[in-house]
Amino acid sequence: MSTEDAFVDMALRAWKLNVDRTGKFFSSLSEEQLLHEVAPGRNRLVYLWGHLAAVSDALIPLLGFSERLHPELDVMFISNPDRALAQTLSGAELTSIWNEMNDALWLGFGKLSASDWLDKHTAISDQDFAREPHRNRYSILLTRTSHLAYHFGQAILTRSR
Amino acid sequence: MSTEDAFVDMALRAWKLNVDRTGKFFSSLSEEQLLHEVAPGRNRLVYLWGHLAAVSDALIPLLGFSERLHPELDVMFISNPDRALAQTLSGAELTSIWNEMNDALWLGFGKLSASDWLDKHTAISDQDFAREPHRNRYSILLTRTSHLAYHFGQAILTRSR
């Protein structure tokens, strides 16, 4: 493996580790457990899971793979806070969306070369990218990996000891 | 900047972003606020901060920079759970340790070449590293960045809205 490919491999391993532990945790919860708050008055588990799914689904166009698979998630889990809408999704629905969306992402990741990873994502102009070359696909992968860990750390607080 | 150096730069930016937001959050808390639990019966903020400081301090020898600066943190914040020991540290002490230790890490990071990052850390044998070359310094940097985000996500739950 080339040096460049090794750096890509490291970041993909870190992403996969976080996606897998997050999916394993949330998909094992009952519909009732998904309604638990991570702390008094804070987000419910179902909202956190939907939020993570929505943010990851948005990576599909951001990295230039295809259109969103589930743009409908945003109104439920990004543009509105938890409990603002009566409408939400079941654990079964979120598990299915989670797996489908992560499979699509993984497929797209595998098609990117090391230089593709250092190339701009679709939400930055050529002008801005010329000034800030660190705003590339790889940076998006790293920050979204941290975002997964950030909310997984919150979700895990509900696990009984 | 070479391609290899660009990948290193991305990961260091992600690390720094997480270190800075974590230090800014914890160092702004009063001694009284540091005693708040992130959720009922869960770790207190002071414990999370000390835990993150201890884990980061352990990176100094793990990455081959020098001896630990603050090995005394481990008994308080790693080998024992929160509240097991009466002894702890004040916010002022943790702020000072946090800044000193992160400055030492940043200095060490800056001295590593891209190939140094892909080389083994000090806690893996040559034999194991030959079998699992992904267990390198870079992988440690990425996983510790996720670890910072994981606990920062918990700590932030105590921030009043």
Side-chain angles (χ1 to χ4, degrees):
Chain A
M1 188 185 296
S2 75
T3 309
E4 291 93 328
D5 291 342
F7 284 115
V8 170
D9 177 64
M10 295 294 108
L12 289 177
R13 283 173 182 271
W15 164 266
K16 191 75 165 52
L17 193 82
N18 279 278
V19 166
D20 289 350
R21 70 177 181 175
T22 301
K24 185 178 174 190
F25 174 80
F26 283 107
S27 59
S28 72
L29 301 174
S30 68
E31 300 297 338
E32 186 274 335
Q33 289 172 311
L34 281 169
L35 302 181
H36 293 181
E37 301 172 327
V38 298
R42 298 294 177 170
N43 290 325
R44 295 171 304 167
L45 290 166
V46 66
Y47 184 85
L48 279 191
W49 195 13
H51 174 69
L52 291 174
V55 169
S56 291
D57 191 63
L59 286 176
I60 296 174
L62 184 61
L63 297 178
F65 299 153
S66 74
E67 295 300 300
R68 291 281 302 265
L69 297 181
H70 296 284
E72 75 280 4
L73 296 172
D74 293 11
V75 65
M76 281 182 271
F77 302 115
I78 292 184
S79 53
N80 286 291
D82 191 16
R83 304 183 188 75
L85 304 180
Q87 179 195 18
T88 184
L89 295 174
S90 70
E93 290 168 313
L94 281 167
T95 299
S96 155
I97 289 172
W98 182 261
N99 294 332
E100 173 200 16
M101 176 268 297
N102 277 297
D103 288 349
L105 276 176
W106 196 249
L107 194 71
F109 291 165
K111 293 178 178 164
L112 296 178
S113 69
S115 59
D116 291 334
W117 278 109
L118 293 180
D119 200 357
K120 66 192 283 298
H121 54 72
T122 62
I124 178 172
S125 71
D126 294 345
Q127 251 182 342
D128 290 346
F129 186 64
R131 269 194 307 273
E132 304 177 278
H134 58 273
R135 294 173 61 184
N136 53 39
R137 287 192 179 99
Y138 196 72
S139 150
I140 294 285
L141 178 64
L142 297 183
T143 52
R144 294 303 190 280
T145 300
S146 289
H147 182 251
L148 279 168
Y150 176 99
H151 289 302
F152 180 68
Q154 297 175 333
I156 213 73
L157 290 171
T158 62
R159 191 167 56 179
S160 55
R161 285 166 293 193
Chain B
M1 190 186 296
S2 76
T3 309
E4 292 93 333
D5 292 343
F7 285 115
V8 170
D9 178 64
M10 295 295 109
L12 289 178
R13 283 173 182 273
W15 165 266
K16 191 74 165 54
L17 193 81
N18 279 277
V19 166
D20 288 351
R21 71 177 181 176
T22 300
K24 184 179 175 191
F25 174 79
F26 283 107
S27 58
S28 72
L29 301 174
S30 68
E31 300 298 336
E32 186 275 334
Q33 288 173 312
L34 282 168
L35 302 181
H36 293 180
E37 300 171 325
V38 299
R42 297 294 178 170
N43 290 324
R44 294 171 304 167
L45 290 167
V46 66
Y47 184 84
L48 280 192
W49 195 14
H51 173 69
L52 291 174
V55 169
S56 290
D57 191 63
L59 285 176
I60 297 173
L62 185 61
L63 297 178
F65 299 154
S66 74
E67 294 301 301
R68 294 281 303 265
L69 297 182
H70 295 284
E72 76 278 7
L73 295 172
D74 293 11
V75 65
M76 282 182 271
F77 302 115
I78 293 184
S79 54
N80 286 291
D82 191 16
R83 304 181 190 76
L85 304 180
Q87 181 198 17
T88 186
L89 295 174
S90 69
E93 291 167 314
L94 281 168
T95 298
S96 157
I97 289 171
W98 182 261
N99 294 332
E100 172 200 16
M101 175 268 298
N102 278 297
D103 289 347
L105 276 177
W106 196 249
L107 194 71
F109 290 165
K111 293 178 179 166
L112 296 178
S113 69
S115 59
D116 291 335
W117 278 110
L118 294 180
D119 200 356
K120 64 190 284 296
H121 53 73
T122 62
I124 180 173
S125 70
D126 295 347
Q127 253 183 342
D128 290 347
F129 187 64
R131 272 195 305 273
E132 304 176 278
H134 57 273
R135 295 173 60 184
N136 54 38
R137 287 192 180 98
Y138 196 72
S139 149
I140 294 286
L141 178 64
L142 297 182
T143 54
R144 294 305 188 281
T145 300
S146 289
H147 181 250
L148 279 169
Y150 175 99
H151 289 301
F152 180 68
Q154 297 175 334
I156 212 75
L157 290 171
T158 63
R159 190 169 56 183
S160 54
R161 283 167 297 194

